[in-house]
Amino acid sequence: MVENRPWLTVLSHLVLLAGCLVIVLPVWVAFVASTHEAATMLRPPAPMIPGTHLLDNYATVLFEGFGQASRVPQWLVLFNSLVMALGITIGKIAISITAAFAIVYFRFPLRMTCFWLIFVTLMLPVEVRIVPTFSVVASLGMLDSYAGLIIPLIASATATFLFRQFFLSVPDEMAEAARVDGAGPLRFFRDILLPMSRNSIAALFVIQFIYGWNQHLWPLLITTKESFYTIVMTVSRQANVQDGVVQWNLIMALGILAMLPPVLVIVFMQRQFVRGLTDTEK
Amino acid sequence: MKRAIFNDRLLPYLLLGPQLIVTLVFFIWPSGEAIWQSMLLEDAFGGSSRFVWFRNFERLFDDEGYWASFETTAIFSIAVATIGLALALLLATTADRSLRGAGAYRSLLIWPYAVAPAVAGVLWGFLFNPGAGLLPYYLNLMGVAWNHQINGNQALLLVIAAACWNQVSYNFVFFLAGLQSIPRALIEAAAIDGAGPGRRFWSIVFPLLAPTGFFLLVVNIIYAFFGTFGIIDALTKGGPARSTEILVYKVYSDGFRGQDFGGSAAQSAILMGIVVVLTVVQFRFIERRIHY
């Protein structure tokens, strides 16, 4: 700090504390709700101090299921989310890194056309062209399948762009030396470029895992069987149950389970996360 | 441009293949279909449809509901972008000071990014649930009758709050990175010349952060337009009485719930135009940022 101003320090702490309080409040209330009985939740206001039903509630959610939208044990739904998130993440990184390799290290007809094709079209969010994308996936027979959950979402302009930027910053001497030593393009890619891209891959992994895990609309549309539901869409389905009693304690347990994996990824990979965010937008 | 390049006729196409196929099948084909469908009029009884040129667009522009949705989107995105950016800037400038526990504050402020918009919507819906929620109880004690399931303005306020909550950590990360890239020497020199914290912020820090701020503004508008779908869907479903039905939600509800494919596709086409414009703005700007 440049100079010592006690009142400014106090004010800063107050601002930050208030900020953290607002950030934490909804999650704390949800967590507390997930530790109480259903009956407690029917008497407003919702409690602020944890209750004693934490294990009961989470066991019910994970191994039995509840309500209309989650009659199957929810560990299955969590597993679906994991498969979808990892599938999207690994798929995106794999097809983007090879595409960027082709665009940077080869000269071929229509090279720039391909680049712009990938680039411009992928900027269109799924939500915008949702009806026709749905009908394409339906006509390919990919409803209610892992392939349908994953493949339509794995093309990525940001990842391709990021790898392209990174490859452009790799010194030409690397490729020349490899060529002089008799390494073909694939050998160079595997033994030199891939290991050098480690940091970029880790940063992208964090961002894309969160993106994949948090998909909502897409799984909502293309899954009709509960055995293919994902956790995020299940939470919002449950919260909008029209008839019958809303079991807030169980819904909130479900909500906590839905946010836990991506939050843990951010907490434990904070450096990669910040890097991933700021790099992918550059 | 790379000097060192490999020569191979087939290999680059094989490397590009997967990405191109996915793009063609799941992006270009559906987008083309959306534009084609926006010029078809579906028979009321289903089955047949005929080509009507721009009739769907005309119908759309004559529809007061569509303009109302435009207005909702404008209010919503301006509110989300300004409030989200202002709060993030305030938090980032305070967290950038070398305070005790600054690292802990930073960690506490960045994780809401990981919460899915749909889940954020559910959390805020519970917090403000008129029957069981925490805050409506106290609001009632203070004489405010809160029920966002009936009151459209309250519903709009609630989705704005949830959207800001979800997005503020993203803005925070960028502002903090921007602040940390400002050379300390500049700040110190100003302090020696007698500029107080307020003066230093407005004369040095704020102008140097302007590029980051502008970039974030575009990203936040894109987020408010499209990324908030999950929040709306989980919290209000566009209601009550369409008071929170932003454009992207209207595409979905007209298409899937209303079965008005032509009208929905016309809206998709218009939204695609908006995305393209916003993206071009964003990239023109990023290009400048890269070449400094």
Side-chain angles (χ1 to χ4, degrees):
Chain A
M1 205 175 314
V2 181
E3 76 266 85
N4 192 18
R5 285 175 195 254
W7 61 267
L8 200 59
T9 308
V10 172
L11 192 70
S12 303
H13 277 292
L14 285 180
V15 166
L16 288 169
L17 277 177
C20 291
L21 204 71
V22 175
I23 294 285
V24 170
L25 182 75
V27 178
W28 176 252
V29 171
F31 171 72
V32 170
S34 75
T35 64
H36 280 278
E37 280 181 293
T40 319
M41 303 320 298
L42 297 176
R43 292 190 299 269
M48 285 290 279
I49 298 157
T52 50
H53 286 72
L54 185 133
L55 289 179
D56 289 354
N57 288 342
Y58 283 86
T60 308
V61 168
L62 280 174
F63 304 114
E64 289 170 27
F66 68 102
Q68 295 172 356
S70 17
R71 279 165 301 194
V72 294
Q74 294 301 293
W75 64 263
L76 188 70
V77 170
L78 277 167
F79 176 75
N80 288 342
S81 275
L82 185 70
V83 171
M84 179 176 73
L86 286 178
I88 290 175
T89 312
I90 295 168
K92 268 190 186 223
I93 292 176
I95 69 173
S96 303
I97 201 168
T98 50
F101 178 58
I103 286 171
V104 173
Y105 282 95
F106 292 89
R107 293 287 169 273
F108 53 92
L110 297 180
R111 188 177 73 98
M112 285 322 277
T113 316
C114 288
F115 179 66
W116 285 111
L117 203 64
I118 290 170
F119 207 55
V120 175
T121 52
L122 297 194
M123 284 299 152
L124 300 175
V126 150
E127 284 79 5
V128 173
R129 48 194 168 75
I130 193 73
V131 180
T133 311
F134 174 81
S135 61
V136 165
V137 172
S139 64
L140 292 174
M142 286 163 73
L143 301 181
D144 280 318
S145 69
Y146 285 131
L149 281 173
I150 295 169
I151 296 173
L153 300 179
I154 63 172
S156 172
T158 41
T160 311
F161 193 64
L162 179 74
F163 283 125
R164 173 180 168 267
Q165 292 298 103
F166 175 70
F167 291 162
L168 286 176
S169 75
V170 171
D172 286 347
E173 287 75 15
M174 290 282 195
E176 271 163 23
R179 239 185 357 189
V180 171
D181 288 346
L186 286 178
R187 182 83 197 271
F188 169 72
F189 179 67
R190 200 187 61 208
D191 288 346
I192 297 176
L193 225 42
L194 263 188
M196 282 178 72
S197 315
R198 236 183 3 231
N199 286 335
S200 304
I201 292 176
L204 263 179
F205 188 92
V206 175
I207 301 296
Q208 303 298 356
F209 181 84
I210 295 168
Y211 165 86
W213 184 276
N214 286 349
Q215 284 302 313
H216 163 71
L217 177 59
W218 188 242
L220 194 67
L221 287 181
I222 73 152
T223 59
T224 50
K225 294 194 187 108
E226 285 191 23
S227 51
F228 283 105
Y229 279 9
T230 65
I231 190 88
V232 168
M233 60 167 279
T234 311
V235 174
S236 77
R237 252 172 189 257
Q238 282 284 10
N240 284 300
V241 171
Q242 292 299 329
D243 44 341
V245 181
V246 186
Q247 291 170 293
W248 282 115
N249 56 336
L250 299 183
I251 294 173
M252 288 302 129
L254 203 61
I256 296 287
L257 288 173
M259 70 174 92
L260 205 56
V263 168
L264 286 180
V265 166
I266 284 203
V267 170
F268 287 107
M269 299 179 79
Q270 198 170 327
R271 264 224 334 271
Q272 286 85 352
F273 164 66
V274 171
R275 228 189 88 107
L277 263 197
T278 41
D279 279 5
T280 44
E281 297 300 345
K282 249 180 219 160
Chain B
M1 253 330 150
K2 286 272 175 198
R3 275 180 294 115
I5 45 173
F6 295 100
N7 287 315
D8 202 307
R9 276 173 178 278
L10 191 60
L11 191 59
Y13 293 105
L14 288 178
L15 291 168
L16 259 175
Q19 179 96 295
L20 275 184
I21 290 169
V22 173
T23 310
L24 285 173
V25 174
F26 297 108
F27 288 76
I28 299 196
W29 179 12
S31 304
E33 197 142 300
I35 291 167
W36 170 241
Q37 202 152 44
S38 72
M39 298 182 191
L40 295 181
L41 192 64
E42 203 97 0
D43 195 335
F45 304 102
S48 67
S49 58
R50 61 204 170 84
F51 189 75
V52 292
W53 285 107
F54 296 103
R55 190 100 67 79
N56 283 320
F57 290 92
E58 287 167 20
R59 199 159 53 98
L60 208 54
F61 290 130
D62 286 338
D63 178 12
E64 274 173 36
Y66 190 63
W67 291 109
S69 174
F70 247 107
E71 199 184 314
T72 310
T73 311
I75 297 170
F76 177 72
S77 44
I78 291 171
V80 169
T82 22
I83 299 172
L85 285 176
L87 285 180
L89 182 59
L90 177 70
L91 290 170
T93 34
T94 38
D96 187 45
R97 292 164 51 84
S98 40
L99 294 173
R100 190 172 300 178
Y105 287 130
R106 279 174 215 162
S107 308
L108 267 174
L109 288 170
I110 63 166
W111 58 265
Y113 178 81
V115 179
V119 175
V122 171
L123 293 184
W124 282 80
F126 176 59
L127 192 64
F128 280 91
N129 185 278
L134 181 73
L135 296 182
Y137 180 82
Y138 292 107
L139 284 171
N140 272 326
L141 290 184
M142 293 192 297
V144 182
W146 181 276
N147 192 338
H148 65 264
Q149 287 159 358
I150 300 173
N151 185 321
N153 289 335
Q154 291 179 350
L156 193 56
L157 270 180
L158 188 58
V159 288
I160 290 170
C164 289
W165 181 84
N166 207 203
Q167 183 69 359
V168 85
S169 48
Y170 181 92
N171 301 340
F172 176 78
V173 167
F174 275 89
F175 274 134
L176 198 62
L179 283 168
Q180 284 166 348
S181 70
I182 295 175
R184 274 279 170 263
L186 276 180
I187 309 279
E188 280 160 18
I192 288 169
D193 288 345
R199 181 80 201 278
R200 291 202 298 272
F201 179 78
W202 290 114
S203 306
I204 300 177
V205 174
F206 194 74
L208 283 173
L209 274 185
T212 311
F214 182 71
F215 160 78
L216 282 176
L217 183 68
V218 179
V219 171
N220 274 267
I221 289 173
I222 295 179
Y223 165 76
F225 262 69
F226 309 107
T228 50
F229 181 92
I231 294 178
I232 306 265
D233 192 42
L235 204 45
T236 64
K237 299 224 174 286
R242 300 182 172 247
S243 55
T244 55
E245 195 176 59
I246 59 171
L247 290 169
V248 71
Y249 201 79
K250 196 170 162 62
V251 171
Y252 166 74
S253 65
D254 285 3
F256 275 97
R257 295 211 232 135
Q259 303 282 313
D260 172 15
F261 293 115
S264 172
Q267 293 178 39
S268 284
I270 292 171
L271 273 184
M272 281 185 216
I274 296 176
V275 185
V276 169
V277 171
L278 284 173
T279 313
V280 168
V281 172
Q282 184 184 354
F283 277 97
R284 276 191 65 107
F285 175 70
I286 289 169
E287 286 288 296
R288 259 197 304 166
R289 235 166 60 122
I290 285 172
H291 303 300
Y292 290 72

PDB file of all heavy atoms in Angstrom, chain B residues 274-287:
ATOM      1  N   ILE B 274     -28.032 -10.428 -34.114  1.00  0.00           N
ATOM      2  CA  ILE B 274     -27.556  -9.673 -32.952  1.00  0.00           C
ATOM      3  C   ILE B 274     -26.241 -10.267 -32.437  1.00  0.00           C
ATOM      4  O   ILE B 274     -25.286  -9.550 -32.154  1.00  0.00           O
ATOM      5  CB  ILE B 274     -28.624  -9.656 -31.836  1.00  0.00           C
ATOM      6  CG1 ILE B 274     -29.867  -8.910 -32.329  1.00  0.00           C
ATOM      7  CG2 ILE B 274     -28.074  -8.991 -30.577  1.00  0.00           C
ATOM      8  CD1 ILE B 274     -31.018  -8.910 -31.349  1.00  0.00           C
ATOM      9  N   VAL B 275     -26.181 -11.623 -32.356  1.00  0.00           N
ATOM     10  CA  VAL B 275     -24.943 -12.263 -31.871  1.00  0.00           C
ATOM     11  C   VAL B 275     -23.783 -11.908 -32.782  1.00  0.00           C
ATOM     12  O   VAL B 275     -22.683 -11.589 -32.310  1.00  0.00           O
ATOM     13  CB  VAL B 275     -25.059 -13.802 -31.852  1.00  0.00           C
ATOM     14  CG1 VAL B 275     -23.821 -14.417 -31.245  1.00  0.00           C
ATOM     15  CG2 VAL B 275     -26.259 -14.238 -31.083  1.00  0.00           C
ATOM     16  N   VAL B 276     -24.021 -11.993 -34.103  1.00  0.00           N
ATOM     17  CA  VAL B 276     -22.926 -11.733 -35.034  1.00  0.00           C
ATOM     18  C   VAL B 276     -22.403 -10.307 -34.832  1.00  0.00           C
ATOM     19  O   VAL B 276     -21.192 -10.084 -34.735  1.00  0.00           O
ATOM     20  CB  VAL B 276     -23.383 -11.964 -36.494  1.00  0.00           C
ATOM     21  CG1 VAL B 276     -22.341 -11.446 -37.469  1.00  0.00           C
ATOM     22  CG2 VAL B 276     -23.633 -13.441 -36.731  1.00  0.00           C
ATOM     23  N   VAL B 277     -23.317  -9.341 -34.703  1.00  0.00           N
ATOM     24  CA  VAL B 277     -22.894  -7.949 -34.495  1.00  0.00           C
ATOM     25  C   VAL B 277     -22.084  -7.831 -33.208  1.00  0.00           C
ATOM     26  O   VAL B 277     -20.971  -7.269 -33.199  1.00  0.00           O
ATOM     27  CB  VAL B 277     -24.119  -7.017 -34.455  1.00  0.00           C
ATOM     28  CG1 VAL B 277     -23.692  -5.614 -34.011  1.00  0.00           C
ATOM     29  CG2 VAL B 277     -24.781  -6.949 -35.817  1.00  0.00           C
ATOM     30  N   LEU B 278     -22.600  -8.388 -32.125  1.00  0.00           N
ATOM     31  CA  LEU B 278     -21.896  -8.292 -30.836  1.00  0.00           C
ATOM     32  C   LEU B 278     -20.524  -8.959 -30.915  1.00  0.00           C
ATOM     33  O   LEU B 278     -19.536  -8.448 -30.389  1.00  0.00           O
ATOM     34  CB  LEU B 278     -22.718  -8.951 -29.721  1.00  0.00           C
ATOM     35  CG  LEU B 278     -23.920  -8.162 -29.216  1.00  0.00           C
ATOM     36  CD1 LEU B 278     -24.741  -8.979 -28.239  1.00  0.00           C
ATOM     37  CD2 LEU B 278     -23.463  -6.878 -28.551  1.00  0.00           C
ATOM     38  N   THR B 279     -20.460 -10.120 -31.601  1.00  0.00           N
ATOM     39  CA  THR B 279     -19.197 -10.845 -31.689  1.00  0.00           C
ATOM     40  C   THR B 279     -18.176 -10.056 -32.493  1.00  0.00           C
ATOM     41  O   THR B 279     -16.997  -9.994 -32.146  1.00  0.00           O
ATOM     42  CB  THR B 279     -19.417 -12.213 -32.349  1.00  0.00           C
ATOM     43  OG1 THR B 279     -20.541 -12.817 -31.732  1.00  0.00           O
ATOM     44  CG2 THR B 279     -18.223 -13.097 -32.153  1.00  0.00           C
ATOM     45  N   VAL B 280     -18.647  -9.448 -33.607  1.00  0.00           N
ATOM     46  CA  VAL B 280     -17.729  -8.647 -34.416  1.00  0.00           C
ATOM     47  C   VAL B 280     -17.168  -7.501 -33.573  1.00  0.00           C
ATOM     48  O   VAL B 280     -15.958  -7.253 -33.563  1.00  0.00           O
ATOM     49  CB  VAL B 280     -18.444  -8.112 -35.675  1.00  0.00           C
ATOM     50  CG1 VAL B 280     -17.601  -7.048 -36.353  1.00  0.00           C
ATOM     51  CG2 VAL B 280     -18.723  -9.251 -36.634  1.00  0.00           C
ATOM     52  N   VAL B 281     -18.029  -6.838 -32.810  1.00  0.00           N
ATOM     53  CA  VAL B 281     -17.577  -5.760 -31.928  1.00  0.00           C
ATOM     54  C   VAL B 281     -16.518  -6.297 -30.972  1.00  0.00           C
ATOM     55  O   VAL B 281     -15.433  -5.734 -30.810  1.00  0.00           O
ATOM     56  CB  VAL B 281     -18.757  -5.172 -31.126  1.00  0.00           C
ATOM     57  CG1 VAL B 281     -18.250  -4.203 -30.072  1.00  0.00           C
ATOM     58  CG2 VAL B 281     -19.727  -4.470 -32.056  1.00  0.00           C
ATOM     59  N   GLN B 282     -16.839  -7.457 -30.367  1.00  0.00           N
ATOM     60  CA  GLN B 282     -15.931  -8.043 -29.383  1.00  0.00           C
ATOM     61  C   GLN B 282     -14.566  -8.356 -30.004  1.00  0.00           C
ATOM     62  O   GLN B 282     -13.526  -8.065 -29.426  1.00  0.00           O
ATOM     63  CB  GLN B 282     -16.571  -9.315 -28.823  1.00  0.00           C
ATOM     64  CG  GLN B 282     -15.780  -9.981 -27.732  1.00  0.00           C
ATOM     65  CD  GLN B 282     -16.437 -11.284 -27.309  1.00  0.00           C
ATOM     66  OE1 GLN B 282     -17.520 -11.616 -27.764  1.00  0.00           O
ATOM     67  NE2 GLN B 282     -15.772 -12.022 -26.461  1.00  0.00           N
ATOM     68  N   PHE B 283     -14.569  -8.933 -31.221  1.00  0.00           N
ATOM     69  CA  PHE B 283     -13.299  -9.359 -31.780  1.00  0.00           C
ATOM     70  C   PHE B 283     -12.499  -8.224 -32.376  1.00  0.00           C
ATOM     71  O   PHE B 283     -11.278  -8.222 -32.300  1.00  0.00           O
ATOM     72  CB  PHE B 283     -13.503 -10.485 -32.787  1.00  0.00           C
ATOM     73  CG  PHE B 283     -13.597 -11.778 -32.085  1.00  0.00           C
ATOM     74  CD1 PHE B 283     -14.832 -12.339 -31.795  1.00  0.00           C
ATOM     75  CD2 PHE B 283     -12.463 -12.401 -31.597  1.00  0.00           C
ATOM     76  CE1 PHE B 283     -14.924 -13.505 -31.077  1.00  0.00           C
ATOM     77  CE2 PHE B 283     -12.550 -13.568 -30.877  1.00  0.00           C
ATOM     78  CZ  PHE B 283     -13.779 -14.124 -30.616  1.00  0.00           C
ATOM     79  N   ARG B 284     -13.170  -7.247 -32.932  1.00  0.00           N
ATOM     80  CA  ARG B 284     -12.443  -6.061 -33.392  1.00  0.00           C
ATOM     81  C   ARG B 284     -11.663  -5.494 -32.229  1.00  0.00           C
ATOM     82  O   ARG B 284     -10.520  -5.076 -32.336  1.00  0.00           O
ATOM     83  CB  ARG B 284     -13.421  -5.014 -33.903  1.00  0.00           C
ATOM     84  CG  ARG B 284     -13.840  -5.222 -35.313  1.00  0.00           C
ATOM     85  CD  ARG B 284     -14.566  -3.999 -35.794  1.00  0.00           C
ATOM     86  NE  ARG B 284     -13.677  -2.859 -35.841  1.00  0.00           N
ATOM     87  CZ  ARG B 284     -13.217  -2.342 -36.962  1.00  0.00           C
ATOM     88  NH1 ARG B 284     -13.568  -2.857 -38.100  1.00  0.00           N
ATOM     89  NH2 ARG B 284     -12.423  -1.306 -36.940  1.00  0.00           N
ATOM     90  N   PHE B 285     -12.332  -5.533 -31.073  1.00  0.00           N
ATOM     91  CA  PHE B 285     -11.719  -4.970 -29.887  1.00  0.00           C
ATOM     92  C   PHE B 285     -10.581  -5.841 -29.379  1.00  0.00           C
ATOM     93  O   PHE B 285      -9.513  -5.356 -29.012  1.00  0.00           O
ATOM     94  CB  PHE B 285     -12.799  -4.813 -28.825  1.00  0.00           C
ATOM     95  CG  PHE B 285     -12.238  -4.357 -27.541  1.00  0.00           C
ATOM     96  CD1 PHE B 285     -11.755  -3.076 -27.424  1.00  0.00           C
ATOM     97  CD2 PHE B 285     -12.144  -5.210 -26.469  1.00  0.00           C
ATOM     98  CE1 PHE B 285     -11.207  -2.660 -26.254  1.00  0.00           C
ATOM     99  CE2 PHE B 285     -11.588  -4.794 -25.302  1.00  0.00           C
ATOM    100  CZ  PHE B 285     -11.120  -3.518 -25.190  1.00  0.00           C
ATOM    101  N   ILE B 286     -10.786  -7.169 -29.416  1.00  0.00           N
ATOM    102  CA  ILE B 286      -9.749  -8.076 -28.912  1.00  0.00           C
ATOM    103  C   ILE B 286      -8.519  -8.025 -29.804  1.00  0.00           C
ATOM    104  O   ILE B 286      -7.395  -8.032 -29.332  1.00  0.00           O
ATOM    105  CB  ILE B 286     -10.298  -9.507 -28.833  1.00  0.00           C
ATOM    106  CG1 ILE B 286     -11.292  -9.572 -27.695  1.00  0.00           C
ATOM    107  CG2 ILE B 286      -9.185 -10.508 -28.577  1.00  0.00           C
ATOM    108  CD1 ILE B 286     -12.086 -10.826 -27.688  1.00  0.00           C
ATOM    109  N   GLU B 287      -8.739  -7.951 -31.123  1.00  0.00           N
ATOM    110  CA  GLU B 287      -7.622  -7.815 -32.048  1.00  0.00           C
ATOM    111  C   GLU B 287      -6.724  -6.667 -31.604  1.00  0.00           C
ATOM    112  O   GLU B 287      -5.510  -6.781 -31.532  1.00  0.00           O
ATOM    113  CB  GLU B 287      -8.149  -7.512 -33.457  1.00  0.00           C
ATOM    114  CG  GLU B 287      -8.763  -8.692 -34.148  1.00  0.00           C
ATOM    115  CD  GLU B 287      -7.721  -9.709 -34.583  1.00  0.00           C
ATOM    116  OE1 GLU B 287      -6.896  -9.376 -35.422  1.00  0.00           O
ATOM    117  OE2 GLU B 287      -7.738 -10.834 -34.039  1.00  0.00           O
TER     118      GLU B 287
END
